[in-house]
Coordinates of all heavy atoms in Angstrom, one line a residue:
V79 N 53.4 14.3 192.5 CA 52.4 15.4 192.7 C 52.5 15.9 194.2 O 52.4 15.0 195.1 CB 51.0 14.9 192.4 CG1 50.0 16.1 192.7 CG2 50.9 14.5 191.0
A80 N 52.8 17.1 194.4 CA 52.9 17.7 195.8 C 51.5 17.7 196.4 O 50.5 18.2 195.8 CB 53.5 19.1 195.8
I81 N 51.4 17.2 197.6 CA 50.1 17.2 198.3 C 50.1 18.2 199.4 O 49.1 19.0 199.6 CB 49.9 15.8 199.0 CG1 49.9 14.7 197.9 CG2 48.5 15.7 199.7 CD1 48.9 14.8 196.8
K82 N 51.1 18.3 200.2 CA 51.2 19.3 201.2 C 52.7 19.7 201.4 O 53.6 19.0 201.1 CB 50.7 18.8 202.6 CG 49.2 18.5 202.6 CD 48.8 18.0 204.0 CE 49.1 16.6 204.2 NZ 48.3 15.6 203.4
L83 N 52.9 20.9 202.0 CA 54.2 21.4 202.4 C 54.1 21.6 203.9 O 53.2 22.4 204.4 CB 54.6 22.7 201.7 CG 54.6 22.6 200.2 CD1 55.0 24.0 199.6 CD2 55.6 21.6 199.6
F84 N 55.0 21.0 204.7 CA 55.0 21.2 206.1 C 56.2 22.0 206.6 O 57.3 21.7 206.1 CB 55.1 19.8 206.9 CG 53.8 19.0 206.8 CD1 53.8 17.7 207.3 CD2 52.6 19.5 206.3 CE1 52.6 16.9 207.3 CE2 51.5 18.8 206.3 CZ 51.5 17.5 206.8
R85 N 56.0 23.0 207.4 CA 57.0 23.7 208.0 C 57.0 23.6 209.5 O 55.9 23.5 210.1 CB 56.9 25.2 207.7 CG 57.9 26.1 208.3 CD 57.8 27.6 207.8 NE 56.5 28.1 208.1 CZ 56.1 29.3 207.7 NH1 56.9 30.0 206.9 NH2 54.9 29.8 208.0
A86 N 58.2 23.4 210.1 CA 58.3 23.3 211.6 C 57.6 24.5 212.3 O 57.7 25.6 211.8 CB 59.7 23.1 212.0
P87 N 56.9 24.2 213.4 CA 56.7 22.8 214.0 C 55.5 22.1 213.4 O 54.4 22.8 213.2 CB 56.5 23.1 215.5 CG 55.8 24.5 215.4 CD 56.4 25.2 214.3
A88 N 55.6 20.9 213.1 CA 54.5 20.1 212.6 C 54.7 18.6 212.9 O 55.8 18.2 213.2 CB 54.4 20.3 211.0
V89 N 53.6 17.8 212.7 CA 53.7 16.4 212.9 C 53.2 15.7 211.6 O 52.4 16.3 210.9 CB 52.9 15.9 214.1 CG1 53.5 16.5 215.4 CG2 51.5 16.2 214.0
F90 N 53.7 14.5 211.3 CA 53.2 13.8 210.2 C 53.4 12.3 210.4 O 54.2 11.9 211.3 CB 53.8 14.2 208.9 CG 55.3 14.1 208.8 CD1 55.9 13.0 208.3 CD2 56.1 15.2 209.3 CE1 57.3 12.9 208.2 CE2 57.5 15.1 209.2 CZ 58.1 14.0 208.7
G91 N 52.7 11.4 209.7 CA 52.8 10.0 209.8 C 51.8 9.4 210.8 O 51.7 8.1 210.9
E92 N 51.1 10.2 211.5 CA 50.2 9.6 212.6 C 49.0 9.0 212.0 O 48.4 8.0 212.6 CB 49.8 10.7 213.6 CG 48.8 11.7 213.1 CD 49.3 12.7 212.0 OE1 50.5 12.8 211.8 OE2 48.4 13.3 211.4
M93 N 48.5 9.4 210.8 CA 47.2 8.9 210.3 C 47.4 7.4 210.0 O 46.6 6.6 210.4 CB 46.9 9.6 209.0 CG 45.6 9.1 208.3 SD 45.2 10.1 206.8 CE 46.6 9.6 205.7
E94 N 48.5 7.0 209.3 CA 48.7 5.6 209.0 C 49.0 4.8 210.3 O 48.6 3.6 210.4 CB 49.8 5.5 208.0 CG 49.5 6.0 206.6 CD 49.8 7.5 206.5 OE1 50.1 8.2 207.5 OE2 49.9 8.0 205.3
C95 N 49.7 5.4 211.2 CA 50.0 4.7 212.5 C 48.7 4.4 213.2 O 48.6 3.3 213.8 CB 50.9 5.6 213.3 SG 52.6 5.7 212.8
L96 N 47.8 5.3 213.2 CA 46.5 5.1 213.9 C 45.7 4.0 213.2 O 45.1 3.1 213.9 CB 45.7 6.4 214.0 CG 46.3 7.5 214.9 CD1 45.5 8.8 214.7 CD2 46.2 7.0 216.3
V97 N 45.6 4.0 211.9 CA 44.8 3.1 211.2 C 45.5 1.7 211.0 O 44.8 0.7 210.9 CB 44.4 3.6 209.8 CG1 43.6 2.7 209.0 CG2 43.7 5.0 209.9

Side-chain angles (χ1 to χ4, degrees):
V79 179
I81 305 299
K82 292 182 285 287
L83 304 176
F84 286 173
R85 178 174 60 186
V89 297
F90 58 93
E92 75 291 345
M93 179 177 67
E94 294 89 345
C95 285
L96 290 171
V97 180

